[in-house]
Amino acid sequence: MQDILLLMQDPTAWIALITLIVMEVVLGIDNLIFISILTNKLPPEHRERARRIGIGLALVMRLALLGTVAWIVQLTEPVFELFGHGYSWKDMILIAGGLFLVWKATKEIHHTVDPVDHEEDALAKAGTTTFAAAIGQILVLDLVFSIDSIITAVGMTPHLPIMIISVIFAVTVMLVAAGPLARFIEKNPTIVMLALGFLLMIGTTLIAEGMGFHVPKGYVYAAMAFSALVEVLNMLSRRKRQRDKAAKL
């Protein structure tokens, strides 16, 4: 308790907290896009529950990992070397998570472009997936993003209370934004393709990071923001054409 009171009186601790909250919220966008796309494939009556469970699992996983910070730090230690580059458990987790994201995004893009191409597309054609399968896939990505999030937090501050507050705040923002984001994606089909493109880029970035090629997050999010802005302009243009067409009738 005394340590917390001392931190509250330290201006550098407040700066670290605000910076870390912003970082955690930004890193949570990737997770939120995946959860929104995946839960939209569930029957309408199960979507909200699945989103809450998925985001709740993200919070539990992050807080649990914060309790094992010493172990998390060890994940960055090289386990083996290949072609002159040392691979740690963190690298392997990022590569596995990236491959999963690339596979999932590619599969969903294929379903969107040609939803009746294979027999397995029966579920996609019906617009549904199983609740357990959705939660399982969310859990896999929660683990990848949680480890990346906690390692980022550990690198920015040594104070556990600051990490806990930032994680809780970021997950709360995700919980509040999940419903509106999912409904927005559902009402705008072109946004689905854009979001899947984001997931494909994020997956590729995770693979590159795991293989030792650092990709500045600022470049990735700047590209995502630019693409989103272009899509917003396209949506405004389509709505204007629709209004002009309706006015002529």
Side-chain angles (χ1 to χ4, degrees):
M1 187 65 182
Q2 187 176 1
D3 292 340
I4 296 176
L5 292 174
L6 289 174
L7 281 175
M8 292 177 63
Q9 298 172 9
D10 185 359
T12 59
W14 284 99
I15 294 172
L17 176 61
I18 294 170
T19 305
L20 193 53
I21 285 175
V22 172
M23 285 292 298
E24 291 292 336
V25 170
V26 171
L27 289 173
I29 292 173
D30 308 342
N31 208 352
L32 193 55
I33 291 173
F34 181 79
I35 290 174
S36 298
I37 291 177
L38 202 57
T39 54
N40 277 351
K41 296 178 72 65
L42 291 168
E45 63 272 17
H46 296 317
R47 292 175 185 174
E48 186 65 27
R49 180 171 165 238
R51 283 193 291 268
R52 289 181 178 177
I53 291 176
I55 295 172
L57 287 172
L59 176 59
V60 171
M61 200 169 293
R62 280 165 168 76
L63 292 178
L65 289 173
L66 280 174
T68 58
V69 167
W71 175 73
I72 291 293
V73 171
Q74 291 179 0
L75 291 179
T76 59
E77 297 296 325
V79 178
F80 66 93
E81 188 173 307
L82 186 64
F83 300 118
H85 175 67
Y87 288 86
S88 65
W89 283 109
K90 177 200 170 187
D91 295 331
M92 289 183 279
I93 290 170
L94 289 179
I95 291 172
L99 288 171
F100 175 77
L101 261 186
V102 169
W103 168 77
K104 185 63 181 176
T106 303
K107 185 178 178 182
E108 294 300 326
I109 289 172
H110 179 70
H111 285 169
T112 303
V113 174
D114 191 4
V116 291
D117 188 48
H118 293 97
E119 292 181 1
E120 69 172 4
D121 290 338
L123 280 176
K125 186 179 178 182
T128 62
T129 188
T130 65
F131 188 86
I135 295 300
Q137 292 178 61
I138 289 172
L139 187 61
V140 170
L141 262 296
D142 276 349
L143 175 62
V144 176
F145 288 128
S146 292
I147 289 176
D148 194 30
S149 170
I150 298 306
I151 289 176
T152 299
V154 170
M156 292 185 67
T157 177
H159 303 297
L160 189 59
I162 292 178
M163 298 182 204
I164 293 174
I165 293 172
S166 64
V167 165
I168 293 175
F169 187 91
V171 174
T172 301
V173 171
M174 288 172 60
L175 191 60
V176 172
L181 178 63
R183 288 189 290 271
F184 180 74
I185 289 175
E186 184 182 15
K187 290 178 182 178
N188 298 275
T190 55
I191 293 293
V192 175
M193 189 62 72
L194 180 65
L196 289 172
F198 287 167
L199 291 181
L200 199 59
M201 182 169 62
I202 293 164
T204 305
T205 302
L206 289 177
I207 294 171
E209 290 279 353
M211 297 182 72
F213 300 98
H214 177 63
V215 181
K217 291 290 195 301
Y219 292 162
V220 176
Y221 291 117
M224 290 171 64
F226 178 77
S227 300
L229 177 61
V230 171
E231 181 58 30
V232 168
L233 294 175
N234 284 332
M235 290 169 60
L236 293 174
S237 177
R238 283 195 297 270
R239 289 179 182 176
K240 185 178 184 303
R241 287 198 300 269
Q242 290 172 357
R243 285 196 301 267
D244 292 344
K245 185 177 180 181
K248 292 178 181 179
L249 296 178

